[in-house]
Amino acid sequence: MTDQWWAGVRQRVEAAGAGPGGGKVFGALGHKWVLEEPLTRGELAELEAQIGVQLPEEYRAFLLHVGTGGAGPAYGLFPVRRVQGRWRWEGDGADLADLTRLAEPFPDQGADPKLLDDLLAQRPEEEDFDEDFDDAIEAWDERWDAVMFAPERTAGAIVICHLGCALREWLIISGSHRGTIWSDGRADDVDLVPLLDDDGKPVTFARWYSDWLEKAEQTALSAP
C-alpha cells in the first residue's frame, strides 16, 4: 500500500518544477525542484542498521521509490546521505537530531508547563536593570534553552524540513507518535507540537508530503 502511494510522485514533482509558475512556489529557490535519487534496498538496510531502528513505513517507501530528499515542503525535504561511510541527514538544523538515539521512543509530552511558567516569570525586564541587563538576559536565555532544547526531548526523531527563521519540522521515528510530523517553533518560544489535519488527526509523512505537492501543483501549473 505504501509503495503504491508514491507511484508517479517523482514525475509529478518534475512536471511541477517545469511548470510556468514553478518559481512562485515557496521554497523553490532553495530546493530548485530537484529530487535526489532513491535509495537501493541495500542502502536502506545499511541506514537502518546504523541507526538501530526501522524507519516509518511511509517514509521508507518514499526513500525507495521517490528520492532521498530534495523538492518538498518549504525549503525542501532534508536528504539522507552517506558521508565518509556513515549515514546522516543534511540541512539547516539537521544536527539537532541525535542519530544515536533514534531507537528511543519520542517523549509523549512536552516540557513541564510549570517549569516553563516559572522560567518565564523569571525573565529579566530591561527596566529592572541598567548596564547589567544584557548579561542577565543572556543567562536567562541559557537556562531557557537548556530546558526547551534538552536532547532527550527529541530522542526518536529527525529534522526533515526548515521553514525559515529557525523554525523546523520533525519526523517521529520511534514511540507512540511514530510516523507523524511535529512542528518546532522553539526559536519563537513555542513548544514542539504535532501537526494536525482539519479533523484534528496527526499528520503522517505521506499526508504531509502529498498535501504540499497538491498545493505546489496548483501554483506551479497555473498559467502565468
Side-chain angles (χ1 to χ4, degrees), residues 171-200:
L171 171 64
I172 311 307
I173 303 300
S174 301
S176 60
H177 303 287
R178 183 175 184 269
T180 62
I181 306 294
W182 283 53
S183 173
D184 184 357
R186 291 176 293 174
D188 287 343
D189 297 339
V190 178
D191 206 0
L192 295 154
V193 292
L195 291 186
L196 304 176
D197 63 18
D198 293 338
D199 297 322

Side-chain angles (χ1 to χ4, degrees), residues 16-217:
K24 298 179 181 178
V25 174
F26 175 74
L29 293 179
H31 58 67
K32 303 183 188 303
W33 292 102
V34 174
L35 276 171
E36 300 198 11
E37 290 300 311
L39 294 179
T40 66
R41 292 193 179 275
E43 288 171 330
L44 178 60
E46 182 184 298
L47 165 61
E48 292 180 330
Q50 176 191 308
I51 63 177
V53 65
Q54 182 171 295
L55 295 167
E57 286 74 14
E58 293 175 355
Y59 179 56
R60 72 194 311 269
F62 182 94
L63 295 177
L64 288 171
H65 300 287
V66 182
T68 57
Y75 291 102
L77 175 65
F78 286 0
V80 58
R81 297 172 175 144
R82 188 198 287 115
V83 180
Q84 296 180 344
R86 301 288 293 175
W87 291 94
R88 71 185 188 196
W89 282 264
E90 297 190 330
D92 188 339
D95 56 352
L96 290 171
D98 186 345
L99 303 189
T100 69
R101 303 182 68 171
L102 294 187
E104 297 180 27
F106 181 78
D108 284 331
Q109 59 187 16
D112 181 352
K114 184 178 184 305
L115 177 58
L116 295 183
D117 287 344
D118 289 346
L119 275 172
L120 286 172
Q122 298 167 16
R123 190 179 192 278
E125 299 295 336
E126 190 165 6
E127 57 267 23
D128 297 330
F129 292 83
D130 39 44
E131 68 274 5
D132 296 328
F133 175 74
D134 288 345
D135 292 338
I137 195 67
E138 182 178 348
W140 182 87
D141 282 338
E142 290 178 358
R143 295 198 302 274
W144 177 262
D145 287 349
V147 173
M148 293 294 280
F149 290 90
E152 61 270 16
R153 302 197 59 229
T154 49
I158 57 171
V159 187
I160 57 168
C161 184
H162 180 232
L163 308 179
C165 300
L167 305 178
R168 301 178 175 89
E169 291 178 328
W170 294 68
L171 171 64
I172 311 307
I173 303 300
S174 301
S176 60
H177 303 287
R178 183 175 184 269
T180 62
I181 306 294
W182 283 53
S183 173
D184 184 357
R186 291 176 293 174
D188 287 343
D189 297 339
V190 178
D191 206 0
L192 295 154
V193 292
L195 291 186
L196 304 176
D197 63 18
D198 293 338
D199 297 322
K201 296 179 179 179
V203 172
T204 65
F205 177 82
R207 177 67 181 273
W208 176 77
Y209 194 89
S210 60
D211 280 356
W212 165 78
L213 181 53
E214 290 174 5
K215 293 174 183 176
E217 287 174 321

